[in-house]
Short mmCIF file of all heavy atoms in Angstrom, two decimals:
data_model
loop_
_atom_site.label_atom_id
_atom_site.label_comp_id
_atom_site.label_asym_id
_atom_site.label_seq_id
_atom_site.Cartn_x
_atom_site.Cartn_y
_atom_site.Cartn_z
N VAL H 7 -7.15 -15.70 -9.27
CA VAL H 7 -5.77 -15.25 -9.05
C VAL H 7 -5.41 -14.30 -10.18
O VAL H 7 -5.25 -14.71 -11.34
CB VAL H 7 -4.79 -16.44 -9.00
CG1 VAL H 7 -3.38 -15.93 -8.76
CG2 VAL H 7 -5.20 -17.43 -7.91
N LEU H 8 -5.28 -13.03 -9.86
CA LEU H 8 -4.83 -12.04 -10.83
C LEU H 8 -3.30 -12.04 -10.88
O LEU H 8 -2.63 -12.54 -9.98
CB LEU H 8 -5.35 -10.65 -10.45
CG LEU H 8 -6.88 -10.52 -10.30
CD1 LEU H 8 -7.23 -9.11 -9.85
CD2 LEU H 8 -7.58 -10.85 -11.61
N TRP H 9 -2.78 -11.46 -11.95
CA TRP H 9 -1.33 -11.43 -12.09
C TRP H 9 -0.67 -10.66 -10.95
O TRP H 9 0.36 -11.07 -10.42
CB TRP H 9 -0.95 -10.82 -13.44
CG TRP H 9 -1.05 -11.77 -14.59
CD1 TRP H 9 -2.00 -11.81 -15.56
CD2 TRP H 9 -0.15 -12.85 -14.87
NE1 TRP H 9 -1.76 -12.85 -16.43
CE2 TRP H 9 -0.62 -13.50 -16.04
CE3 TRP H 9 1.00 -13.35 -14.25
CZ2 TRP H 9 0.02 -14.61 -16.59
CZ3 TRP H 9 1.64 -14.44 -14.80
CH2 TRP H 9 1.15 -15.06 -15.95
N THR H 10 -1.26 -9.55 -10.58
CA THR H 10 -0.68 -8.77 -9.49
C THR H 10 -0.77 -9.51 -8.16
O THR H 10 0.12 -9.38 -7.32
CB THR H 10 -1.37 -7.41 -9.39
OG1 THR H 10 -2.79 -7.60 -9.31
CG2 THR H 10 -1.05 -6.54 -10.59
N ASP H 11 -1.83 -10.29 -7.97
CA ASP H 11 -1.93 -11.12 -6.76
C ASP H 11 -0.79 -12.13 -6.71
O ASP H 11 -0.13 -12.30 -5.67
CB ASP H 11 -3.26 -11.87 -6.72
CG ASP H 11 -4.46 -10.94 -6.68
OD1 ASP H 11 -4.29 -9.78 -6.27
OD2 ASP H 11 -5.55 -11.38 -7.08
N LEU H 12 -0.56 -12.80 -7.83
CA LEU H 12 0.48 -13.82 -7.89
C LEU H 12 1.86 -13.22 -7.61
O LEU H 12 2.65 -13.77 -6.84
CB LEU H 12 0.45 -14.49 -9.27
CG LEU H 12 1.36 -15.70 -9.47
CD1 LEU H 12 0.97 -16.83 -8.54
CD2 LEU H 12 1.30 -16.16 -10.93
N LEU H 13 2.13 -12.08 -8.23
CA LEU H 13 3.43 -11.44 -8.04
C LEU H 13 3.58 -10.90 -6.63
O LEU H 13 4.68 -10.96 -6.04
CB LEU H 13 3.61 -10.32 -9.07
CG LEU H 13 3.73 -10.78 -10.53
CD1 LEU H 13 3.76 -9.58 -11.47
CD2 LEU H 13 4.98 -11.62 -10.73
N LEU H 14 2.50 -10.37 -6.08
CA LEU H 14 2.57 -9.79 -4.73
C LEU H 14 2.84 -10.87 -3.69
O LEU H 14 3.73 -10.72 -2.83
CB LEU H 14 1.27 -9.06 -4.43
CG LEU H 14 1.28 -8.08 -3.24
CD1 LEU H 14 2.30 -6.98 -3.47
CD2 LEU H 14 -0.10 -7.49 -3.03
N PHE H 15 2.13 -11.98 -3.77
CA PHE H 15 2.37 -13.07 -2.82
C PHE H 15 3.71 -13.75 -3.10
O PHE H 15 4.37 -14.23 -2.17
CB PHE H 15 1.23 -14.09 -2.88
CG PHE H 15 0.00 -13.65 -2.16
CD1 PHE H 15 -1.09 -13.15 -2.86
CD2 PHE H 15 -0.07 -13.73 -0.78
CE1 PHE H 15 -2.25 -12.75 -2.19
CE2 PHE H 15 -1.22 -13.32 -0.10
CZ PHE H 15 -2.30 -12.82 -0.81
N GLY H 16 4.13 -13.81 -4.36
CA GLY H 16 5.45 -14.34 -4.67
C GLY H 16 6.55 -13.48 -4.08
O GLY H 16 7.55 -14.01 -3.54
N LEU H 17 6.39 -12.17 -4.17
CA LEU H 17 7.37 -11.27 -3.57
C LEU H 17 7.40 -11.42 -2.05
O LEU H 17 8.48 -11.42 -1.44
CB LEU H 17 7.05 -9.82 -3.95
CG LEU H 17 7.99 -8.74 -3.40
CD1 LEU H 17 9.41 -8.97 -3.89
CD2 LEU H 17 7.49 -7.35 -3.80
N LEU H 18 6.24 -11.60 -1.44
CA LEU H 18 6.18 -11.82 0.00
C LEU H 18 6.90 -13.12 0.37
O LEU H 18 7.64 -13.17 1.37
CB LEU H 18 4.73 -11.87 0.46
CG LEU H 18 4.50 -12.12 1.95
CD1 LEU H 18 5.08 -10.98 2.78
CD2 LEU H 18 3.02 -12.28 2.24
N GLY H 19 6.71 -14.16 -0.43
CA GLY H 19 7.42 -15.41 -0.17
C GLY H 19 8.92 -15.26 -0.28
O GLY H 19 9.68 -15.83 0.52
N CYS H 20 9.38 -14.50 -1.27
CA CYS H 20 10.83 -14.25 -1.42
C CYS H 20 11.38 -13.50 -0.22
O CYS H 20 12.50 -13.79 0.25
CB CYS H 20 11.09 -13.48 -2.70
SG CYS H 20 10.74 -14.40 -4.21
N ILE H 21 10.61 -12.54 0.31
CA ILE H 21 11.07 -11.80 1.48
C ILE H 21 11.17 -12.72 2.69
O ILE H 21 12.14 -12.64 3.47
CB ILE H 21 10.11 -10.63 1.75
CG1 ILE H 21 10.18 -9.61 0.63
CG2 ILE H 21 10.43 -9.97 3.09
CD1 ILE H 21 9.18 -8.47 0.76
N VAL H 22 10.21 -13.62 2.85
CA VAL H 22 10.25 -14.56 3.97
C VAL H 22 11.46 -15.49 3.85
O VAL H 22 12.17 -15.75 4.83
CB VAL H 22 8.94 -15.36 4.03
CG1 VAL H 22 9.04 -16.47 5.07
CG2 VAL H 22 7.77 -14.44 4.36
N LEU H 23 11.72 -15.99 2.62
CA LEU H 23 12.88 -16.86 2.43
C LEU H 23 14.19 -16.11 2.67
O LEU H 23 15.13 -16.66 3.25
CB LEU H 23 12.85 -17.44 1.01
CG LEU H 23 11.74 -18.46 0.71
CD1 LEU H 23 11.79 -18.88 -0.75
CD2 LEU H 23 11.88 -19.67 1.63
N ALA H 24 14.24 -14.86 2.21
CA ALA H 24 15.46 -14.06 2.44
C ALA H 24 15.68 -13.82 3.93
O ALA H 24 16.82 -13.87 4.41
CB ALA H 24 15.35 -12.73 1.69
N LEU H 62 -2.83 -7.36 1.49
CA LEU H 62 -2.88 -8.79 1.23
C LEU H 62 -4.30 -9.33 1.33
O LEU H 62 -4.70 -10.19 0.53
CB LEU H 62 -1.97 -9.54 2.20
CG LEU H 62 -0.46 -9.29 2.04
CD1 LEU H 62 0.32 -10.05 3.09
CD2 LEU H 62 0.01 -9.67 0.64
N THR H 257 5.80 -1.97 -4.82
CA THR H 257 6.62 -3.17 -4.66
C THR H 257 6.92 -3.87 -5.98
O THR H 257 8.08 -4.22 -6.24
CB THR H 257 5.92 -4.16 -3.72
OG1 THR H 257 4.61 -4.45 -4.22
CG2 THR H 257 5.80 -3.58 -2.32
N LEU H 258 5.91 -4.07 -6.81
CA LEU H 258 6.14 -4.80 -8.05
C LEU H 258 7.02 -4.04 -9.02
O LEU H 258 7.74 -4.64 -9.82
CB LEU H 258 4.81 -5.15 -8.72
CG LEU H 258 3.87 -6.06 -7.92
CD1 LEU H 258 2.70 -6.49 -8.78
CD2 LEU H 258 4.61 -7.29 -7.41
N LEU H 261 10.62 -4.97 -8.80
CA LEU H 261 11.06 -6.21 -9.43
C LEU H 261 11.67 -5.95 -10.80
O LEU H 261 12.49 -6.74 -11.28
CB LEU H 261 9.87 -7.17 -9.58
CG LEU H 261 9.23 -7.68 -8.29
CD1 LEU H 261 8.05 -8.59 -8.60
CD2 LEU H 261 10.26 -8.42 -7.45
#
Side-chain angles (χ1 to χ4, degrees):
V7 180
L8 303 177
W9 279 106
T10 52
D11 298 338
L12 187 63
L13 293 174
L14 196 61
F15 282 102
L17 180 60
L18 179 64
C20 293
I21 294 175
V22 172
L23 291 177
L62 293 178
T257 56
L258 298 189
L261 296 179

